[in-house]
Amino acid sequence: MLQGGQFDNMKDTQAYIERIRRVSRDYQRLELAVDKSLSSMLAGQAVLARRIEKDYEIQHWNPYLRELWFPVEILNSNIIVVEVPAATSYQPGQLLSLLGPIGKPFKFRRKLRNVLLIVYDTPPTSLLMMLPALLANDASVTMVLMGTACQYDTGHLPEEIEILHAEEDLSWQDMVMTLGWADQVFVLVGPSKELSNFADVMRLVRERRNDVPANYIFGVFQRQLPCAVGACYVCMLRSNAGAKLQCVDGPAFDLTTLHLEN
Amino acid sequence: MLQGGQFDNMKDTQAYIERIRRVSRDYQRLELAVDKSLSSMLAGQAVLARRIEKDYEIQHWNPYLRELWFPVEILNSNIIVVEVPAATSYQPGQLLSLLGPIGKPFKFRRKLRNVLLIVYDTPPTSLLMMLPALLANDASVTMVLMGTACQYDTGHLPEEIEILHAEEDLSWQDMVMTLGWADQVFVLVGPSKELSNFADVMRLVRERRNDVPANYIFGVFQRQLPCAVGACYVCMLRSNAGAKLQCVDGPAFDLTTLHLEN
Amino acid sequence: MVVEVTRPGKTSLLLSTPVMPAAGTVGFGDNYRRLVDYEKLGAIITNPVTIERWHPASGTRLAPLPGGILVHTGLPNPGLKSVIQQNRQVWEKLPIPVVLHLAGTSAPHMKRAGELIDGLDVIAGIELGLNDDIDEDEAFALVSAATAIEKPLLVRLPFYEACHLAPAALDAGADALVVSAAPRGTARDEHTGRLVSGRIYGPLVKPLVLRIVGRLRRQVPEEIPIIGAGGIHSPQDARDYIEAGAVAVQVDTATWAQPKMLERIARDLGGWIATRRKDALMDEWHPDMGQTEAAQRRNLG
Amino acid sequence: MVVEVTRPGKTSLLLSTPVMPAAGTVGFGDNYRRLVDYEKLGAIITNPVTIERWHPASGTRLAPLPGGILVHTGLPNPGLKSVIQQNRQVWEKLPIPVVLHLAGTSAPHMKRAGELIDGLDVIAGIELGLNDDIDEDEAFALVSAATAIEKPLLVRLPFYEACHLAPAALDAGADALVVSAAPRGTARDEHTGRLVSGRIYGPLVKPLVLRIVGRLRRQVPEEIPIIGAGGIHSPQDARDYIEAGAVAVQVDTATWAQPKMLERIARDLGGWIATRRKDALMDEWHPDMGQTEAAQRRNLG
Ligand SMILES: Cc1cc2nc3c(=O)[nH]c(=O)nc-3n(C[C@H](O)[C@H](O)[C@H](O)COP(=O)(O)OP(=O)(O)OC[C@H]3O[C@@H](n4cnc5c(N)ncnc54)[C@H](O)[C@@H]3O)c2cc1C
Ligand SMILES: Cc1cc2nc3c(=O)[nH]c(=O)nc-3n(C[C@H](O)[C@H](O)[C@H](O)COP(=O)(O)OP(=O)(O)OC[C@H]3O[C@@H](n4cnc5c(N)ncnc54)[C@H](O)[C@@H]3O)c2cc1C
Ligand SMILES: Cc1cc2nc3c(=O)[nH]c(=O)nc-3n(C[C@H](O)[C@H](O)[C@H](O)COP(=O)(O)O)c2cc1C
Ligand SMILES: Cc1cc2nc3c(=O)[nH]c(=O)nc-3n(C[C@H](O)[C@H](O)[C@H](O)COP(=O)(O)O)c2cc1C
Ligand code: FES
Ligand code: FES
């Protein structure tokens, strides 16, 4: 079973919204002026955010828990950028409390040439932070959008990313080739039906590729995290190596080791 | 006991904030674009206000109940003006749901020459709407601020109003004269300790004036009204004429007829 | 749509919509007539009535809470005889059944209530409210006494003791269970600084009572209708009660916060629901508009 | 400040602050060490532990509610022996007493717990959680069995049955009552569309449990300490419990929503409260800052 884990960088700090930019029909990006400790966050790590009112008092207990935000960019040692639905209204100058960093950075293979991102019934936001680094290292990136992810407008993403839209049966053009050619695959699904969605994707992959090696395909979890410090066990997953916590050991897990039946 | 009362004008209508003006250090005035039915409100009547979110959904149940707003001015058939603490932030364009009009207009004597307003531990907002009409009819108005009401900045009130600040013992300069000279007195107290505050004022008045006639001194109640239609009985008061409801029979009651002991 | 909210056999209470206001929330008559279309409701449950006149509680009656309120009115009412005299005419004009909520005080009082109510056709049923401190024997005696009133008898159970008292109420002859009364609680009054007690209302009451309804649905015989009541603030809340096994629901203080929600829930569960088309004109009906407002708009338009 | 949270006579549990986290909210060890200054707390209550390993509940574990949440984890834990092995060293370094929360399963399990715990000085006390469905006889038997463990014994009562089970727990030898466990409830999971059950947390739980604490305070002998737990989200909430008769309090999911609130409440009730002067410099301590952050600011400044 698990220990508390390593939280030696985790802090509860204040941030405020420095700037708001609309990036597409449905999404806006918030530039957050943050504590320096958050500027060393890496792709895969997240913060739990909550609006705070005067004197740190919480007046509205709805939503009760913080929102999980994976930054899409670290602008400098003071500013991190998050992407959130445009439907929620924010104002520059608004105060936030940010708990983080949460979780472990994505582990990329040494010699990474081709990365496949599969995004299923969720916006791809949580995967976006890896893009600049991958592109800077000459990796090529393909992003397959499945289900409601197809509605995500990718106009503001780097041009170098190849974007594919899957069919209703989840298959896409040149699927076998893409899967064979990828050195690493990251699968992102929405928190609704996540285990069965991961299982769907694994079935798809196994049908196309007999050998699914270890450290090849990773599921990225986006559950709401009540505590984020390994205390509440709400985010617990079962794996061949015993129980795992999204907030401590995640958000990415080798899908060949997870128990995906509910 | 009481019947439901007359609610034949009461409606639940939408309004939005057309304009916001800061009128003093601590108060701002909201100009509300309202349903025409509210433009016939008279001094003494109020609305219950609640912010509404998209599609009329209430998302934040805190505060649970609506706020009681006595307009300070009816600008035209479309715009009513309310005065609220500057500490709460509002935005132009914000949607509100307004339930009203609530209660009965103040009843002024036919030949009213001198009106005394006593304001104790509350801002005088709920009495302000009567001022223009009184002044237009050549009545002279004296307002005595007591307790925390002394902190209210009266700079934006009409110059013709005589403003006095009571001492800590609640007495004020020329008290006996003011009380004798007044044709009608309206006493406004905050909802905290209202009955005992009314009792304090009545004691004060009775010490200065042996005969306190009927229809001379009125207490104006500002309790939070859960239903405002005479259904919940939270706002019930006891009087010589039986039970009375602030929301139906009020907000003003002849203080000589009310039971002010708790 | 016809919903039978009483067990088969005796005089039955039939509603055309499985949604009604909870006792204590809408007064004795038609106080909400300008804000709610009564035709869309299944019934009116009156404020609680006692045989003798009760005076209002003194002191704090309302304490705001985060996400809710505490209410303590002391059940003021002029006594059953006066309530009937004062409201009979209004009741006769209401387009829906009137259910009288009787505060369950004592067996002799129930007998006296029967004398006042029997023969009064305008009262379609009785909802008997059981006090929180009552034990099983007392509940049995009180409900037994109330069955002498010749009306369908709904029994409203206290929150904490709902599962304990349900069998006694049914053995004594209750035709249906209302689950439950609002839970009692204690909070600090911000004005006086003192701890005060009363009933607690707010959306977080719903998951608590919903579970009790589910348990009781499994515990009591199938033919006993259960009416769910507690923390309903949306049509979905009401539907959750139906799924948990209730045949009908009572909406409480949501009506105060947003009167049209009562009508909206009634329209939803009553099959009246209409969703405004995206391009609908202002004079078309909107779920939250209320029939009255919609009618006015049509007349104006 | 020293607060005795056990009745006089037996081994006693003394806390330097009457504030602790509730079982299930802060893990088994020091998970919150970067966010909360443990020295300011009265004790740590561990997550619930069973004798055998328990696996996590499958399916929905969390459902957001208006003003609260429903949680259902299934009490996953590796079993008492492993919990001790894995956490003993951390416990030894903690500056405050560790109270082990034992899920009350069966009398033989309690015996086995005694064998594993007795002699383990690092465990300062036991909090025994009674299941919701237990009756008075079962509660008596379970608590009796647990008294064989040579530690101060706090018994955590279920919400609905708190008043019914308290006498049995005390007769069987409980040294203190924790009132209460979070209430069970039912809500619709927005992801699966199904009704799910679990425990309900949120500020509106407080007025409900506060009333139970007040009643029990009048019901049980004066020398029995009561620890208040339920819906505490602010120092004033905690103070309300003390006024209603609790000697100490447990803070539950407020810690998740705002970790520093736990420390803030502990500082307030522990007499550590400091209010920042209006013109205070950034490096001065602020009630919500947390000791660690304050220390860092001082070091940076
Ligand atoms: C939304 C809402 C819904 C309500 N639904 C109900 C309901 O279903 N049933 C109901 O009875 N009341 C109902 N009421 C009335 C509510 O129960 C009363 O307001 C409540 O019982 C009285 O609460 P209180 O806090 O005002 O005073 P209380 O403290 O409840 O009343 C004063 C005293 O009267 C006694 N008492 C209360 N009810 C009874 C009773 N039924 N029999 C004998 N003694 C009693 C209690 O001992 C109590 O101490 C409702 C009120 C509201 C606001
Ligand atoms: C904030 C917080 C505070 C908590 N405080 C306590 C506490 O004081 N005491 C406590 O026991 N747990 C406590 N827990 C743990 C909480 O009670 C467990 O999460 C809860 O008992 C299990 O709830 P669940 O909904 O996850 O699963 P449950 O449905 O409760 O657990 C699965 C099953 O285990 C059984 N079970 C649960 N508890 C016991 C028990 N004590 N004895 C025997 N069988 C049991 C029940 O039958 C239940 O059906 C707390 C959890 C949280 C998040
Ligand atoms: C039979 C009976 C008659 C009552 N009559 C009145 C009454 O006339 N006026 C009133 O305010 N409360 C009345 N009450 C309520 C009590 O005054 C008092 O509020 C109650 O007994 C104590 O409240 P509690 O049980 O909620 O603590 C009555 C209660 C009972 C049981
Ligand atoms: C003695 C006992 C052992 C249990 N062991 C486990 C377990 O290992 N894993 C688990 O998820 N739940 C365990 N549970 C909980 C059950 O799986 C199941 O959730 C519970 O009995 C039904 O939940 P309910 O009572 O809340 O409806 C256990 C319960 C008891 C009483
Ligand atoms: S979020 Fe609490 S253990 Fe992961
Ligand atoms: S506010 Fe409900 S009766 Fe007056």
Side-chain angles (χ1 to χ4, degrees):
Chain A
M1 199 87 166
L2 3 90
Q3 292 297 334
Q6 311 302 321
F7 305 103
D8 286 333
N9 296 316
M10 177 168 287
K11 282 169 108 179
D12 187 1
T13 57
Q14 272 190 66
Y16 66 92
I17 301 180
E18 179 97 19
R19 195 171 160 215
I20 302 179
R21 262 181 321 133
R22 189 71 165 259
V23 293
S24 69
R25 199 191 53 213
D26 298 331
Y27 290 89
Q28 58 192 342
R29 289 189 169 190
L30 312 180
E31 296 186 5
L32 308 178
V34 297
D35 190 280
K36 285 199 177 52
S37 60
L38 293 179
S39 64
S40 53
M41 284 174 73
L42 296 168
Q45 294 186 302
V47 293
L48 281 186
R50 153 158 220 123
R51 281 164 67 158
I52 46 179
E53 287 123 34
K54 257 171 287 180
D55 294 327
Y56 295 74
E57 287 298 335
I58 297 180
Q59 276 153 26
H60 298 293
W61 287 101
N62 197 12
Y64 190 77
L65 295 178
R66 291 158 182 257
E67 281 178 44
L68 184 64
W69 286 353
F70 289 82
V72 294
E73 202 181 341
I74 309 286
L75 273 193
N76 57 45
S77 70
N78 253 331
I79 308 276
I80 70 173
V81 186
V82 296
E83 189 175 294
V84 293
T88 310
S89 110
Y90 294 91
Q91 267 102 43
Q94 241 170 28
L95 263 185
L96 302 170
S97 151
L98 298 182
L99 203 69
I102 295 160
K104 296 202 174 2
F106 296 135
K107 284 198 207 100
F108 297 106
R109 292 219 180 158
R110 284 280 173 77
K111 291 178 198 147
L112 193 60
R113 299 240 297 278
N114 300 305
V115 180
L116 175 62
L117 308 179
I118 296 176
V119 181
Y120 187 4
D121 278 356
T122 173
T125 316
S126 308
L127 297 181
L128 299 186
M129 195 159 121
M130 63 167 78
L131 297 182
L134 290 178
L135 296 176
N137 283 287
D138 286 331
S140 70
V141 181
T142 300
M143 183 185 289
V144 181
L145 303 176
M146 291 178 173
T148 63
C150 293
Q151 295 156 20
Y152 183 85
D153 177 353
T154 56
H156 62 295
L157 301 189
E159 279 180 12
E160 298 90 332
I161 313 292
E162 183 185 20
I163 311 276
L164 300 174
H165 291 84
E167 306 295 325
E168 280 205 5
D169 68 355
L170 304 188
S171 73
W172 65 88
Q173 223 188 331
D174 300 328
M175 193 171 161
V176 177
M177 215 180 68
T178 340
L179 284 171
W181 149 100
D183 304 312
Q184 249 182 319
V185 185
F186 290 89
V187 187
L188 184 69
V189 306
S192 169
K193 300 195 291 174
E194 59 182 357
L195 290 185
S196 81
N197 283 1
F198 280 130
D200 287 350
V201 173
M202 279 308 278
R203 208 171 304 117
L204 212 71
V205 171
R206 288 216 160 88
E207 278 165 21
R208 267 54 174 201
R209 199 180 153 143
N210 280 336
D211 60 317
V212 180
N215 294 320
Y216 165 72
I217 183 164
F218 293 88
V220 178
F221 286 76
Q222 305 186 89
R223 289 189 182 173
Q224 197 165 17
L225 303 175
C227 77
V229 303
C232 74
Y233 289 8
V234 165
C235 70
M236 192 175 272
L237 300 165
R238 287 185 296 149
S239 82
N240 296 343
K244 296 283 179 192
L245 295 177
Q246 174 189 323
C247 67
V248 176
D249 310 299
F253 296 95
D254 185 337
L255 283 177
T256 62
T257 68
L258 281 193
H259 300 189
L260 297 178
E261 67 289 1
N262 217 328
Chain B
M1 202 91 165
L2 2 90
Q3 292 297 336
Q6 311 303 320
F7 305 104
D8 286 333
N9 296 315
M10 177 169 286
K11 283 171 108 180
D12 187 1
T13 57
Q14 272 190 67
Y16 66 92
I17 301 178
E18 180 99 17
R19 193 172 162 215
I20 301 178
R21 261 182 321 134
R22 188 70 164 261
V23 292
S24 68
R25 198 191 55 213
D26 298 330
Y27 290 89
Q28 58 192 344
R29 289 187 171 191
L30 313 180
E31 295 184 6
L32 309 178
V34 298
D35 190 281
K36 283 196 180 54
S37 61
L38 292 179
S39 63
S40 53
M41 284 175 73
L42 296 168
Q45 294 186 303
V47 294
L48 280 186
R50 153 158 220 125
R51 282 162 67 156
I52 47 181
E53 287 121 36
K54 259 172 289 188
D55 295 327
Y56 295 73
E57 287 297 335
I58 297 179
Q59 276 153 26
H60 297 294
W61 287 102
N62 198 10
Y64 189 77
L65 296 178
R66 292 159 182 254
E67 279 178 44
L68 182 65
W69 287 353
F70 288 82
V72 295
E73 202 180 341
I74 309 287
L75 272 194
N76 57 47
S77 71
N78 253 331
I79 307 278
I80 70 173
V81 186
V82 295
E83 187 174 296
V84 293
T88 310
S89 109
Y90 294 91
Q91 266 101 42
Q94 242 171 30
L95 264 185
L96 302 170
S97 150
L98 299 184
L99 202 70
I102 296 161
K104 295 202 174 5
F106 295 135
K107 285 197 206 100
F108 297 106
R109 293 220 180 158
R110 285 278 174 79
K111 289 175 198 149
L112 193 61
R113 299 239 299 279
N114 300 304
V115 180
L116 175 62
L117 307 179
I118 297 177
V119 180
Y120 186 4
D121 279 355
T122 173
T125 316
S126 308
L127 297 182
L128 298 186
M129 195 160 120
M130 64 166 80
L131 296 182
L134 290 178
L135 295 176
N137 284 285
D138 285 330
S140 71
V141 181
T142 300
M143 183 186 289
V144 181
L145 302 177
M146 291 178 174
T148 62
C150 292
Q151 295 157 20
Y152 183 84
D153 178 352
T154 56
H156 62 297
L157 301 190
E159 278 181 12
E160 297 90 332
I161 314 292
E162 183 187 20
I163 312 276
L164 301 174
H165 291 85
E167 306 295 323
E168 282 206 2
D169 68 355
L170 304 189
S171 72
W172 67 87
Q173 223 187 332
D174 300 327
M175 196 171 160
V176 176
M177 216 178 67
T178 340
L179 284 172
W181 149 100
D183 303 311
Q184 249 183 319
V185 185
F186 291 89
V187 187
L188 183 71
V189 306
S192 168
K193 298 196 291 172
E194 59 183 358
L195 291 186
S196 81
N197 284 0
F198 281 130
D200 287 350
V201 173
M202 279 308 278
R203 207 171 306 116
L204 212 69
V205 171
R206 287 216 160 91
E207 279 164 21
R208 266 53 171 202
R209 197 180 154 142
N210 278 337
D211 60 318
V212 180
N215 296 318
Y216 165 72
I217 183 162
F218 293 87
V220 177
F221 285 77
Q222 305 187 88
R223 288 189 181 172
Q224 197 165 17
L225 303 175
C227 78
V229 301
C232 74
Y233 289 8
V234 165
C235 69
M236 193 176 272
L237 300 167
R238 289 187 294 150
S239 81
N240 295 344
K244 296 283 177 190
L245 296 176
Q246 175 187 326
C247 67
V248 176
D249 311 299
F253 296 94
D254 184 336
L255 283 178
T256 61
T257 68
L258 282 191
H259 300 189
L260 297 177
E261 66 289 2
N262 218 329
Chain C
M1 180 183 249
V2 175
V3 186
E4 184 164 20
V5 297
T6 43
R7 63 167 132 186
K10 256 190 54 168
T11 48
S12 64
L13 180 59
L14 302 173
L15 309 184
S16 64
T17 313
V19 178
M20 57 209 116
T25 60
V26 297
F28 292 109
D30 62 350
N31 305 50
Y32 271 99
R33 70 179 172 281
R34 293 283 301 173
L35 300 168
V36 173
D37 179 5
Y38 280 62
E39 289 201 30
K40 296 293 176 290
L41 305 177
I44 281 292
I45 316 284
T46 69
N47 273 14
V49 181
T50 47
I51 303 306
E52 311 288 347
R53 161 191 295 266
W54 275 20
H55 294 289
S58 57
T60 307
R61 309 222 186 102
L62 179 72
L65 302 169
I69 43 170
L70 174 148
V71 178
H72 177 82
T73 63
L75 294 176
N77 77 88
L80 180 55
K81 201 170 164 184
S82 304
V83 166
I84 292 172
Q85 274 171 4
Q86 289 167 9
N87 295 285
R88 197 174 166 162
Q89 286 189 323
V90 170
W91 291 340
E92 277 163 359
K93 285 190 208 124
L94 282 180
I96 47 170
V98 173
V99 175
L100 185 88
H101 182 101
L102 266 186
T105 44
S106 68
H109 274 179
M110 296 302 112
K111 186 160 174 292
R112 177 95 185 88
E115 293 160 13
L116 290 165
I117 293 168
D118 288 340
L120 251 190
D121 288 343
V122 72
I123 295 179
I126 299 295
E127 178 180 275
L128 178 70
L130 298 183
N131 195 354
D132 289 65
D133 301 323
I134 210 166
D135 69 23
E136 290 158 48
D137 295 338
E138 290 164 337
F140 182 88
L142 203 55
V143 176
S144 299
T147 55
I149 307 173
E150 290 167 357
K151 301 282 177 187
L153 180 65
L154 320 180
V155 174
R156 175 132 151 168
L157 301 171
F159 171 80
Y160 292 98
E161 303 293 329
C163 293
H164 292 298
L165 296 181
L170 292 175
D171 289 350
D175 294 317
L177 300 175
V178 182
V179 180
S180 70
R184 285 181 179 280
T186 299
R188 190 174 294 279
D189 173 38
E190 58 184 15
H191 294 318
T192 64
R194 283 201 298 253
L195 290 180
V196 295
S197 62
R199 294 190 188 252
I200 306 295
Y201 299 92
L204 211 57
V205 171
K206 184 209 130 190
L208 305 178
V209 178
L210 186 62
R211 169 175 170 276
I212 300 175
V213 165
R215 288 175 69 115
L216 274 176
R217 184 64 286 163
R218 293 188 292 272
Q219 182 185 319
V220 305
E222 224 180 306
E223 76 268 20
I224 306 294
I226 293 177
I227 299 172
I232 295 177
H233 284 70
S234 71
Q236 188 56 53
D237 286 343
R239 288 175 173 273
D240 291 350
Y241 273 101
I242 303 293
E243 181 169 332
V247 297
V249 297
Q250 293 182 351
V251 178
D252 54 42
T253 55
T255 307
W256 300 345
Q258 195 178 16
K260 283 168 187 161
M261 187 50 82
L262 172 59
E263 180 174 331
R264 189 177 172 190
I265 294 168
R267 284 175 177 273
D268 187 293
L269 267 67
W272 299 90
I273 199 68
T275 316
R276 186 164 62 168
R277 294 202 325 273
K278 234 186 164 166
D279 53 352
L281 296 172
M282 275 302 275
D283 60 353
E284 291 182 25
W285 187 81
H286 176 274
D288 259 303
M289 194 183 279
Q291 183 71 2
T292 30
E293 191 180 343
Q296 281 163 354
R297 292 197 183 208
R298 269 195 299 277
N299 293 344
L300 292 176
Chain D
M1 180 184 248
V2 176
V3 185
E4 185 162 20
V5 297
T6 43
R7 64 169 132 183
K10 258 190 55 169
T11 49
S12 64
L13 180 59
L14 301 173
L15 310 184
S16 64
T17 313
V19 178
M20 57 208 118
T25 60
V26 298
F28 291 110
D30 61 350
N31 304 50
Y32 270 98
R33 70 179 171 283
R34 293 283 300 173
L35 301 168
V36 173
D37 179 4
Y38 280 63
E39 290 202 30
K40 295 294 176 289
L41 305 177
I44 280 293
I45 315 286
T46 69
N47 272 15
V49 181
T50 46
I51 303 306
E52 311 289 347
R53 161 190 298 264
W54 276 19
H55 295 288
S58 58
T60 307
R61 309 221 187 104
L62 180 71
L65 302 171
I69 44 171
L70 174 148
V71 178
H72 176 83
T73 62
L75 293 175
N77 77 89
L80 180 55
K81 201 169 164 183
S82 304
V83 166
I84 292 171
Q85 274 171 6
Q86 289 168 10
N87 294 285
R88 193 174 169 161
Q89 285 188 323
V90 170
W91 292 340
E92 276 163 358
K93 285 191 208 125
L94 282 180
I96 47 171
V98 172
V99 174
L100 185 89
H101 182 101
L102 266 187
T105 44
S106 68
H109 273 181
M110 296 302 111
K111 188 161 175 290
R112 177 97 184 88
E115 292 161 15
L116 290 164
I117 292 167
D118 287 341
L120 251 191
D121 287 343
V122 72
I123 296 178
I126 299 294
E127 178 180 276
L128 178 70
L130 298 184
N131 195 353
D132 288 64
D133 302 323
I134 210 167
D135 69 21
E136 289 158 49
D137 295 339
E138 292 164 336
F140 182 88
L142 203 57
V143 176
S144 298
T147 55
I149 308 172
E150 291 167 356
K151 300 281 179 190
L153 180 65
L154 320 180
V155 173
R156 175 133 150 166
L157 300 173
F159 170 79
Y160 292 97
E161 303 292 329
C163 293
H164 291 298
L165 296 181
L170 292 175
D171 288 350
D175 293 317
L177 300 176
V178 182
V179 180
S180 72
R184 285 183 179 280
T186 299
R188 189 173 296 279
D189 174 37
E190 60 184 13
H191 294 317
T192 64
R194 282 202 298 254
L195 290 180
V196 295
S197 62
R199 293 187 190 254
I200 307 295
Y201 298 93
L204 212 57
V205 171
K206 185 209 129 190
L208 305 178
V209 179
L210 185 61
R211 170 175 169 274
I212 302 176
V213 166
R215 287 175 70 113
L216 275 174
R217 183 64 287 164
R218 292 187 293 270
Q219 183 184 319
V220 306
E222 223 179 308
E223 75 267 19
I224 306 293
I226 293 177
I227 299 171
I232 295 176
H233 284 71
S234 71
Q236 186 58 51
D237 286 343
R239 287 174 175 271
D240 290 350
Y241 273 101
I242 302 294
E243 181 170 332
V247 298
V249 296
Q250 294 183 350
V251 178
D252 55 42
T253 55
T255 307
W256 300 346
Q258 194 180 18
K260 283 168 189 162
M261 189 47 83
L262 173 58
E263 180 175 329
R264 189 177 172 191
I265 294 169
R267 283 175 178 272
D268 187 292
L269 268 65
W272 299 90
I273 200 65
T275 315
R276 185 164 63 165
R277 293 203 326 273
K278 233 187 165 166
D279 53 351
L281 295 172
M282 276 300 276
D283 59 355
E284 292 183 23
W285 184 81
H286 177 274
D288 260 303
M289 196 183 276
Q291 184 71 4
T292 29
E293 190 180 343
Q296 282 163 354
R297 293 199 181 202
R298 269 195 300 276
N299 293 343
L300 292 174

